[in-house]
Amino acid sequence: WGKLPLEVSCLDLVQLARTAAQEVGQATQTNSIHVVTLDPPPPVHVDRRRIRQVLVHLIENAVKYSDGGQIQVPLGRAGHDGPPMARG
């Protein structure tokens, strides 16, 4: 099996989500996509390109399957006080 090389860097996930939402909004001519942050996460170490791709796909699906109303992208710590982590 081939391995996908990761280009890990420290980034602001909120800013990346806002950029992805803006790009999808422009491409789909939708002005109702909003990133909502109550408790913003700290900067994270991730592969920017891969996380952006996931965010764009999630937001595109939300637009595709919504009834035309507002789309909210909630982003936060979700009650986790330790170091950032991913769960599978």
Side-chain angles (χ1 to χ4, degrees):
W1 298 91
K3 293 183 180 181
L4 292 174
L6 296 178
E7 297 176 18
V8 177
S9 63
C10 186
L11 63 89
D12 180 347
L13 196 55
V14 174
Q15 184 58 43
L16 185 62
R18 286 186 176 139
T19 301
Q22 184 178 32
E23 290 173 11
V24 172
Q26 289 174 348
T28 61
Q29 299 178 351
T30 302
N31 294 324
S32 60
I33 304 170
H34 304 283
V35 175
V36 180
T37 58
L38 297 176
D39 186 15
V44 293
H45 295 274
V46 295
D47 185 317
R48 173 187 219 74
R49 184 177 50 167
R50 303 257 193 286
I51 295 300
R52 182 194 161 284
Q53 184 179 31
V54 169
L55 288 168
V56 166
H57 285 222
L58 288 171
I59 297 167
E60 284 175 341
N61 282 341
V63 169
K64 182 177 179 180
Y65 296 108
S66 75
D67 59 4
Q70 291 212 355
I71 296 168
Q72 291 190 355
V73 181
L75 204 56
R77 294 177 187 247
H80 181 73
D81 293 327
M85 59 184 280
R87 293 185 183 191

